[in-house]
């Protein structure tokens, strides 16, 4: 009985593998929708590439469906594993990255980068050596400011720190 | 002025005398080449006022040194942390990064540097000798021939996915569909843009590159806490200079491989608009097709690293040939050089070699000197650069994310490109977690729009007749080579296996 259970657990779950082909099918369908009334020059490439993609995805699904049918693979969403898998430092880091993207315009490049560096480094190693991390965050964001804004004159979002530094440099 | 051996010798020593311009430009080029989004072209644009102030000769040497070293610099993060600095280095991590992960980062860097330098030196010499003939390649490569050249690169999709071909093809074709986003080339009809004006010009390459490679890699390495496993950390810490010399030896042993892959780069570089990305993908595909051990590619194969690096450095000499000989710039950097030359009243095209042969030939000699000086300045750095892989991912992941997101912002300065890079990062992360090759997606995104552009041009000229693709002699010759390189290796392998049985 326990052997059977272990066997069941080691079978590959093909659900994750379906994401990219499903994304491909959905995107291609949407793409076809946008060119349906367009001239042939806008359609020819997409219809060739998209049709081949549909064909390959169909073959892929048939193969996976067959593997599930003959009991060589499983296709299921494991709710009991989903929540613990999401409660990781990785998820926290992804959320911090989204936060950085949302707030960089509001706070300006330098301040947002200092906060992002400090919070993500603290999150990733469990909040050790906070002072060293804070100093490193300021240094790295400073390097970014000098290289990207001062040297290469990139028009990154400006905030309080950039305005103070610009006044100071004047 | 007589153009003889003495003239070239004098020119060589004259350019060598400008080492004080070349060496700082090499280091600047390494930095801008290594940061995604920055390139020799946009750095020269930023520094354009300075080049106007310099003497024309010094200005050209500065631009050439920056151009060559940025090509080489783009391969460094590609090998160490799986982040190609430019699209031209997109094929480098296929074998470079697995080598670094095995603890051979120093060796991989040394192989990359030597193949880049040798490739650059060889193609510069060949360019100097064959300039008048090579410049004509562009005239023979029409849209039909370019379709076949693109297919050479695209066929690499099947090669990178040796583990699971069907998944590789799905990833490649998803990439090709994403690459089709944007206004169509004839009537400017928006296609698949989801209403975003920022996508009307197509999917920008740098956010795709940054997202698929850098951001997804940053998310991935958090799981392990380090780029290397514990025993590999020890290996990197204990690595001595011998590792660098061993890399040099391994590359020199494969001098023929460096030679022919850099020639692919030179020929593709001559074709206006083709560029380093196509050259490196085609060289990688050809290298794998004719290899005795194709199954080792993608796992840290030496020749898999040599091919793209030699090819993308071969492109540098190639892109300058049409500019110097015909007055037609072969790429963005060449176009900026033309602006500087015109500002200084220097003619481009055939007149350059009669009026100012010291400048015409001097450009290529400057390239030769740059590659020569790079062997002394950059090669010893491989030992210290490889230590990057020892830095904890606690520090590296946030740095990769923040700096590469800026890199994706730089080319167009749209916040949208940062969001797009993140979107590609999530796509790349899902792809990696579920066993799809991100390089296959990227090949599709890079080469898809180019293939469409050339195919449409050919079809438009023939009034929609698809047989036009088989209407030219050179095109048909390329078709035969393409089919041969796809079919012959597996046929020969099967034959060999049979005879061994």
């Amino acid at each position: 009985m326990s052997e059977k259970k272990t066997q069941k657990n080691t079978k590959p779950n093909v659900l994750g593998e379906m994401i990219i082909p499903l994304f491909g099918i959905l995107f291609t369908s949407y793409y076809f929708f946008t060119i349906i009334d367009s001239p042939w020059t806008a359609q020819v490439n997409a219809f060739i590439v998209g049709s081949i993609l549909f064909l390959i995805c169909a073959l892929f699904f048939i193969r996976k469906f067959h593997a599930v049918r003959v009991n060589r693979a499983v296709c299921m969403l494991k709710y009991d594993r989903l929540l613990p898998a999401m409660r990781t430092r990785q998820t926290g880091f992804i959320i911090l990255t989204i936060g950085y993207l949302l707030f960089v315009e509001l706070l300006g490049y330098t301040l947002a980068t200092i906060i992002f560096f400090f919070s993500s480094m603290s999150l990733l190693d469990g909040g050790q050596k906070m002072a060293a991390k804070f100093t490193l965050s300021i240094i790295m964001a400073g390097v970014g400011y000098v290289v990207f804004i001062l040297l290469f004159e990139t028009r990154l979002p400006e905030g309080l720190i950039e305005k103070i530094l610009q006044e100071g440099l004047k | 002025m007589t153009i003889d051996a003495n003239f070239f010798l004098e020119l060589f020593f004259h350019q060598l005398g400008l080492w004080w311009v070349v060496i700082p430009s090499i280091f600047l080029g390494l930095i801008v080449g290594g940061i995604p989004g920055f390139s020799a072209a946009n750095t020269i644009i930023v520094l354009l006022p300075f080049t106007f102030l310099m003497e024309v000769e010094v200005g050209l040497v500065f631009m050439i040194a920056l151009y060559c070293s940025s090509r080489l610099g783009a391969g460094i993060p590609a090998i160490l942390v799986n982040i190609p600095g430019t699209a031209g280095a997109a094929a480098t991590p296929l074998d470079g990064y697995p080598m670094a992960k095995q603890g051979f980062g120093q060796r991989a860097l040394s192989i990359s540097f030597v193949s880049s330098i040798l490739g650059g030196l060889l193609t510069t010499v060949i360019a100097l000798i064959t300039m008048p003939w090579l410049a004509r390649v562009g005239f023979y490569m029409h849209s039909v021939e370019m379709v076949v050249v693109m297919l050479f690169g695209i066929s690499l999709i099947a090669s990178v996915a040796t583990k699971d071909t069907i998944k590789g093809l799905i990833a490649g074709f998803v990439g090709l569909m994403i690459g089709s986003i944007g206004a169509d080339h004839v009537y400017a009809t928006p296609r698949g843009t989801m209403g975003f004006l920022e996508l009307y010009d197509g999917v920008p390459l740098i956010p795709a590159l940054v997202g698929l490679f850098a951001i997804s890699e940053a998310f991935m390495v958090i799981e392990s806490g380090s780029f290397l496993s514990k025993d590999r950390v020890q290996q990197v810490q204990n690595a001595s200079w011998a590792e660098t010399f061993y890399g040099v030896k391994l590359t020199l042993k494969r001098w023929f491989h460096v030679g022919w892959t850099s020639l692919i780069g030179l020929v593709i570089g001559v074709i206006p608009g083709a560029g380093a990305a196509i050259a490196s993908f085609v060289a990688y595909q050809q290298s794998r097709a004719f290899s005795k051990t194709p199954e080792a590619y993608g796992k840290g194969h030496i020749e898999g690293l040599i091919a793209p690096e030699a090819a993308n450095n071969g492109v540098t000499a190639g892109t300058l040939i049409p500019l110097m000989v015909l007055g037609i710039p072969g790429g963005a950097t060449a176009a900026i050089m033309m602006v500087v030359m015109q500002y200084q009243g220097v003619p481009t095209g055939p007149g350059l070699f009669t009026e100012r042969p010291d400048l015409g030939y001097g450009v290529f000699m400057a390239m030769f000197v740059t590659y020569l000086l790079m062997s002394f300045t950059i090669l010893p750095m491989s030992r210290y650069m490889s230590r990057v892989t020892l830095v904890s991912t606690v520090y590296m992941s946030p740095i990769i994310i923040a700096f590469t997101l800026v890199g994706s912002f730089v080319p167009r300065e749209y916040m949208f490109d940062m969001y797009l890079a993140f979107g590609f990062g999530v796509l790349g992360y899902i792809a990696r977690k579920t066993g799809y090759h991100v390089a296959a997606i990227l090949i599709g995104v890079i080469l898809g729009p180019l293939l469409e552009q050339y195919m449409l041009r050919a079809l438009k000229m023939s009034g929609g007749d698809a047989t036009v693709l088989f209407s030219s002699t050179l095109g048909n010759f390329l078709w035969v080579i393409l089919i041969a390189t796809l079919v012959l290796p597996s046929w020969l392998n099967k034959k060999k296996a049979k005879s061994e049985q």
Side-chain angles (χ1 to χ4, degrees):
Chain A
M1 183 74 184
S2 63
E3 241 178 53
K4 260 188 181 178
K5 245 186 181 176
T6 330
Q7 230 182 2
K8 203 180 172 184
N9 285 340
T10 52
K11 274 181 204 164
N13 190 348
V14 294
L15 192 67
E17 290 177 58
M18 304 284 185
I19 299 172
I20 297 287
L22 278 174
F23 165 76
I25 288 173
L26 284 175
F27 177 71
T28 308
S29 308
Y30 159 72
Y31 194 99
F32 283 177
F33 175 72
T34 63
I35 56 166
I36 208 80
D37 295 322
S38 301
W40 72 269
T41 51
Q43 293 173 333
V44 62
N45 179 68
F47 279 141
I48 295 171
V49 174
S51 307
I52 299 172
L53 179 62
F54 279 150
L55 191 74
I56 305 166
C57 288
L59 281 173
F60 179 78
F61 288 132
I62 291 168
R63 207 169 76 169
K64 293 298 163 190
F65 180 70
H66 177 72
V68 173
R69 246 188 91 184
V70 298
N71 232 2
R72 272 194 284 119
V74 290
C75 182
M76 60 170 87
L77 188 63
K78 291 169 183 165
Y79 293 103
D80 54 329
R81 289 191 191 175
L82 195 67
L83 215 61
M86 283 174 71
R87 277 193 205 133
T88 56
R89 289 183 301 176
Q90 213 167 14
T91 315
F93 184 58
I94 293 171
I95 292 168
L96 283 174
T97 309
I98 297 170
Y100 176 60
L101 283 169
L102 292 175
F103 286 101
V104 71
E105 261 193 301
L106 186 75
L107 300 175
Y109 168 74
T110 315
L111 184 60
T113 307
I114 292 172
I115 296 170
F116 173 68
F117 277 152
F118 181 66
S119 53
S120 47
M121 284 175 192
S122 307
L123 170 90
L124 292 176
D125 83 341
Q128 298 164 18
K129 297 176 191 166
M130 300 294 264
K133 279 196 185 72
F134 187 64
T135 315
L136 184 69
S137 305
I138 293 173
I139 292 169
M140 290 312 295
V143 169
Y145 176 81
V146 171
V147 174
F148 301 130
I149 297 176
L150 288 187
L151 283 180
F152 291 105
E153 295 173 355
T154 306
R155 282 178 293 178
L156 283 160
E158 287 183 1
L160 190 67
I161 293 185
E162 283 82 6
K163 278 175 189 151
I164 293 169
L165 286 170
Q166 272 168 11
E167 285 302 313
L169 286 171
K170 271 180 194 171
Chain B
M1 196 180 282
T2 332
I3 311 296
D4 54 9
N6 222 8
F7 166 78
F8 284 115
L9 203 65
E10 268 178 34
L11 203 57
F12 171 74
F13 284 110
H14 180 70
Q15 300 292 3
L16 202 60
L18 292 172
W19 61 269
W20 52 275
V21 185
V22 177
I23 292 177
S25 310
I26 285 175
F27 287 106
L28 182 62
L30 279 187
I31 296 166
V32 297
I35 307 171
F38 287 87
S39 63
N42 55 24
T43 311
I44 293 172
I45 291 172
V46 170
L47 301 173
L48 208 56
F50 296 104
T51 53
F52 287 149
L53 293 174
M54 293 173 190
E55 269 181 53
V56 62
E57 193 188 13
V58 177
L60 282 174
V61 168
F62 160 72
M63 288 189 283
I64 293 285
L66 190 75
Y67 184 35
C68 297
S69 57
S70 68
R71 275 263 187 275
L72 188 139
I76 299 169
I79 290 167
L80 296 177
V81 282
N82 202 14
I83 306 168
T86 59
T92 305
L94 292 176
D95 281 281
Y97 187 57
M99 276 180 100
K101 288 232 15 131
Q102 289 158 23
F104 301 121
Q106 187 181 338
R107 189 186 301 176
L109 282 178
S110 162
I111 292 168
S112 152
F113 293 163
V114 177
S115 44
S116 299
I117 291 166
L118 281 183
L121 285 172
L122 179 76
T123 48
T124 308
V125 173
I126 293 174
L128 264 170
I129 300 165
T130 59
M131 242 188 297
W133 301 284
L134 264 179
R136 292 181 178 276
V137 169
F139 290 131
Y140 299 114
M141 297 297 285
H142 304 124
S143 38
V144 172
E145 289 80 11
M146 285 308 291
V147 168
V148 195
V149 172
M150 295 300 141
L151 289 175
F152 269 103
I154 288 173
S155 65
L156 182 61
I157 289 171
S159 311
V160 294
T162 43
K163 263 190 200 166
D164 192 340
T165 313
I166 201 160
K167 280 169 99 173
L169 289 174
I170 289 173
F173 277 86
V174 165
L176 285 170
M177 278 311 296
I178 294 172
S180 308
I181 292 174
D184 96 276
H185 299 283
V186 181
Y187 297 106
T189 319
R191 302 168 305 170
T193 58
M194 289 163 272
F196 292 114
L197 274 174
E198 292 90 340
L199 289 174
Y200 272 47
D201 284 340
V203 175
L205 281 187
I206 297 298
L209 188 80
V210 159
L212 288 171
F213 279 91
I215 296 176
S216 66
E217 183 68 26
F219 292 153
M220 287 294 287
V221 291
I222 293 169
E223 282 174 21
S224 53
S226 164
F227 284 100
L228 306 166
S229 58
K230 271 181 189 166
D231 50 331
R232 304 292 184 198
V233 168
Q234 197 73 31
Q235 191 180 324
V236 174
Q237 278 171 341
N238 295 340
S240 64
W241 286 107
E243 264 295 286
T244 300
F245 294 122
Y246 188 58
V248 175
K249 194 180 145 193
L250 285 174
T251 319
L252 291 177
K253 252 174 113 179
R254 288 161 179 81
W255 61 270
F256 185 67
H257 202 82
V258 176
W260 72 262
T261 48
S262 64
L263 281 181
I264 290 179
L266 177 69
V267 174
I268 291 180
V270 175
I271 306 163
I278 298 162
S280 52
F281 283 134
V282 172
Y284 186 89
Q285 185 268 342
Q286 287 294 296
S287 166
R288 189 182 181 278
F290 290 104
S291 171
K292 284 177 187 165
T293 50
E295 68 286 348
Y297 278 65
K299 296 169 190 161
H301 198 287
I302 297 162
E303 284 161 17
L305 175 58
I306 289 175
E309 283 300 289
N312 70 36
N313 282 277
V315 168
T316 47
T319 47
L320 293 181
I321 291 176
L323 171 70
M324 294 296 154
V325 182
L326 306 168
I328 304 164
T333 314
I336 303 161
M337 282 183 200
M338 192 167 89
V339 173
V340 174
M341 287 166 88
Q342 281 177 346
Y343 177 84
Q344 304 270 16
V346 178
T348 50
L352 177 67
F353 291 89
T354 49
E355 288 175 36
R356 296 289 305 269
D358 57 319
L359 277 185
Y361 293 108
V363 163
F364 291 95
M365 197 52 89
M367 197 173 264
F368 188 85
V369 167
T370 302
Y371 277 114
L372 209 61
L373 289 177
M374 276 204 271
S375 58
F376 300 111
T377 48
I378 298 178
L379 194 59
M381 288 161 65
S382 62
R383 188 176 178 198
Y384 307 104
M385 284 177 180
S386 64
R387 305 279 162 129
V388 168
T389 50
L390 295 174
V391 180
S392 164
T393 54
V394 168
Y395 306 105
M396 281 303 278
S397 290
I399 290 170
I400 289 173
I401 295 270
F403 285 178
T404 55
L405 279 175
V406 173
S408 64
F409 172 87
V410 169
R412 306 198 301 176
E413 300 197 332
Y414 290 162
M415 277 303 292
F416 176 82
D417 289 353
M418 278 196 182
Y419 307 139
L420 193 65
F422 180 74
F424 271 109
V426 173
L427 179 68
Y429 179 64
I430 294 170
R432 281 168 195 262
K433 290 291 274 186
T434 54
Y436 291 86
H437 216 301
V438 286
I441 303 178
L442 188 72
I443 293 167
V445 176
I446 293 176
L447 300 185
L450 293 168
L451 175 73
E452 183 189 12
Q453 185 188 327
Y454 289 117
M455 195 162 72
L456 263 186
R457 217 179 275 171
L459 288 175
K460 192 80 183 142
M461 280 191 292
S462 67
D465 181 9
T467 56
V468 72
L469 297 173
F470 309 99
S471 61
S472 93
T473 316
L474 181 60
N476 290 343
F477 176 68
L478 290 171
W479 275 115
V480 172
I481 297 179
L482 174 67
I483 293 163
T485 56
L486 291 177
V487 178
L488 265 182
S490 57
W491 182 72
L492 285 173
N493 282 343
K494 270 184 192 166
K495 212 179 152 189
K496 197 178 153 193
K498 248 186 185 177
S499 66
E500 275 172 4
Q501 269 181 358

